[in-house]
Structures are given as C-alpha cells and as structure tokens.
Amino acid sequence: MRIRFKTTEYKEYFWRCATATTIPEFEAVMVELKNYDIEAYQWLLKIPPHHWARSHFSRRAISDMLLNNLCEVFNSKLVKGRDKPIISCLEFIREYLMKRVKGPWNDQHVVDMEKKECSCRKWELTGIPCKHAIASLNEIADNNEKVGELYTYVHKVYLLDTWKEMYSFKVEPIKGRAMWPKSDCPTTLVPPPHNKAIGRPKKKRRITVEERIEIQQRKRQANSQSQNDNETQSLSRKFLTVTCSKCKQKGHNARTCKTKDGN
C-alpha cells in the first residue's frame, strides 16, 4: 500500500474510512475515495471491512483500536506531557481524553440511556459514553432528574474490581526444559528458516510521525535561534581600520609591515 499510494491524500482517505463508526458514514467516505481514485477504491474493497473499519467492528472487544501497538500509541500521545510532574501529567491526559470524546459537532444521533447505546456506535465500541451520551446526561441533570454515579455508565472492563479479578490468579511456575516429558507425537516440528538481514541490527525504536514532526520543529527553532545569536554577536569588519601588531600604526597589518623588527 505504501508503495502504490504514497501521498498524504490517500492516507487521509484511508484513515477516514477506517475511523468511521457508522456504515452510512463509511459508505459516504468510500464514495469520496472512489471519485478521487477508482484504483485505490477497488484495492480497498478487496479487504474485508470487519478487519480494519470501525463501522464493521463488533461490540465484543469494547475497543476501537485500529493498531496493535497500544504502548506506542499511548506513548506518542504523551510526548508533551510525560516530562511533567505526575499531577500535571494526569491533567494533560484528562484534557486529551476530553478533547477526544468531544470531537466535532456536525451530526445528530439518538441515545438510549437504558441500553447504553448511541446510534453513532462509539459508546458500544469503546464502552465509554460518547459526546451524545454526555450531552444527554447534562440534559437529565438540568431537568433535576436522577443521574446516578457516572462510573455506572462505563463498561465494567474499565472498573478497578475487574482489573483486580483479572490479576487475582497467579502464574504457576514450570520446570526447566530438561524435566519436560517427551512427546509421543511422530511429527518433528522444525523452526522456520531464518534469513539474516544485511547490516547491523537496529536497537533504537522507530519514532512515530508526530515525534518526527516535533523533532524537525525543534531543529528549526534551534537553527533560527542560533542564526539570531550569530547575527547579534558577530561584528562586521566593514569600515574598520587595521592596526599593525609590530609598529602599532594603523593602515596595515604585521605581515605587510615595512618597519624592520617593529621599530
């Protein structure tokens, strides 16, 4: 895909198709991609959408993640806040989550508070109330109706009791390889062939696009700052008279001085 469709326009269309949470929204973006490039549209149709599009995800996973490197994604979002103190870092995370939940208000959906469902499907996919559900809760509170505890509107997978129950079981230790019983299976499992790559293996992790952009911006700022410092500190020699270090007279230097031994 990266070889055939390199420009940022393709990337934006693909991400819009992948992040659409409803089928009508997904189909509308696919039509825009078809009008932009029919070849890219046909290539994308060959991939089943339930593997990569949020609009076709089931409610079982309680997650709308499109990538499998969760730690890298989380780390990239904390680039600006991870070097702050713990309270400021948590506040940075809270503000980021609020901005992510809010999003643009260019749509209208129906919310079922009893079933904890919204027609935008974000509540079902993530298990966290979407912006439409939050607006409904504010409307209920404004009408002096009982809202209850806010954590009851979040799926139980995010509760602390669920995490405690998940890690309540201990991992049983196993014996060393010399103590393993021999298998009676007649088939011998051979490891796959290993092709050693050319060159020294890389030890540093691959930086994300956001980190690469931030590094470039820092370099530009450092270069501009150094240029400004050089302009302010460096002095021009224009209109300055040269003084000889031998005879201490002006108009020539020591190399072109005609006075013998500086006398």
Side-chain angles (χ1 to χ4, degrees):
M1 183 187 73
R2 294 182 178 179
I3 298 177
R4 298 177 60 183
F5 313 109
K6 297 181 179 180
T7 60
T8 56
E9 288 78 8
Y10 288 108
K11 181 179 179 180
E12 293 177 358
Y13 276 113
F14 290 158
W15 272 109
R16 288 179 58 192
C17 294
T19 55
T21 56
T22 60
I23 295 180
E25 183 182 358
F26 169 79
E27 293 176 348
V29 181
M30 288 292 288
V31 171
E32 294 182 10
L33 177 61
K34 182 179 180 181
N35 297 331
Y36 179 75
D37 191 343
I38 186 65
E39 184 180 357
Y41 170 78
Q42 294 176 352
W43 176 85
L44 200 58
L45 281 181
K46 298 179 181 179
I47 307 175
H50 63 272
H51 290 315
W52 58 275
R54 288 178 182 171
S55 56
H56 294 73
F57 284 178
S58 64
R59 301 172 52 182
R60 182 178 61 86
I62 314 298
S63 175
D64 62 342
M65 288 292 298
L66 299 172
L67 305 172
N68 56 2
N69 54 346
L70 181 59
C71 295
E72 293 292 337
V73 175
F74 182 73
N75 186 37
S76 65
K77 300 302 179 183
L78 294 182
V79 172
K80 296 181 179 179
R82 62 188 177 187
D83 57 342
K84 299 180 179 180
I86 182 63
I87 301 299
S88 302
C89 182
L90 293 176
E91 181 66 16
F92 178 84
I93 297 175
R94 185 189 67 83
E95 293 178 358
Y96 166 74
L97 292 177
M98 290 181 63
K99 293 177 182 178
R100 180 172 179 176
V101 170
K102 181 181 178 182
W105 284 92
N106 55 359
D107 51 4
Q108 183 176 355
H109 293 277
V110 179
V111 180
D112 191 336
M113 301 301 296
E114 294 183 357
K115 296 182 179 180
K116 298 180 181 179
E117 296 179 354
C118 181
S119 58
C120 72
R121 298 188 71 246
K122 289 185 179 180
W123 198 354
E124 296 95 308
L125 290 174
T126 61
I128 301 175
C130 60
K131 58 185 179 182
H132 311 103
I134 296 176
S136 301
L137 290 174
N138 292 331
E139 186 69 19
I140 293 174
D142 293 339
N143 294 330
N144 296 325
E145 298 181 16
K146 187 177 180 180
V147 176
E149 297 292 339
L150 296 179
Y151 71 86
T152 57
Y153 296 95
V154 181
H155 198 275
K156 62 180 181 180
V157 297
Y158 297 104
L159 301 181
L160 183 59
D161 295 336
T162 305
W163 285 76
K164 289 181 179 179
E165 184 179 356
M166 183 188 306
Y167 291 98
S168 61
F169 303 95
K170 61 180 180 180
V171 179
E172 298 292 342
I174 62 175
K175 301 177 182 179
R177 181 175 297 183
M179 303 295 293
W180 291 358
K182 294 184 179 180
S183 176
D184 298 331
C185 181
T187 305
T188 303
L189 299 179
V190 181
H194 175 67
N195 298 324
K196 187 176 180 180
I198 301 175
R200 183 179 297 178
K202 296 181 180 180
K203 295 183 178 180
K204 295 183 178 180
R205 68 175 182 87
R206 294 182 178 179
I207 60 176
T208 60
V209 179
E210 292 81 3
E211 291 177 336
R212 189 179 296 109
I213 295 174
E214 185 176 358
I215 292 173
Q216 293 176 356
Q217 292 177 353
R218 290 179 180 177
K219 289 183 178 179
R220 294 194 191 99
Q221 292 177 359
N223 293 334
S224 61
Q225 184 66 27
S226 62
Q227 291 178 0
N228 295 333
D229 295 341
N230 294 333
E231 291 177 358
T232 55
Q233 295 178 3
S234 61
L235 297 177
S236 176
R237 300 187 63 182
K238 190 176 181 181
F239 305 117
L240 293 180
T241 304
V242 181
T243 303
C244 179
S245 60
K246 290 183 178 181
C247 64
K248 308 302 180 181
Q249 295 182 3
K250 296 182 178 181
H252 63 276
N253 54 17
R255 185 174 60 85
T256 60
C257 184
K258 298 181 180 180
T259 305
K260 186 177 181 180
D261 297 333
N263 297 323

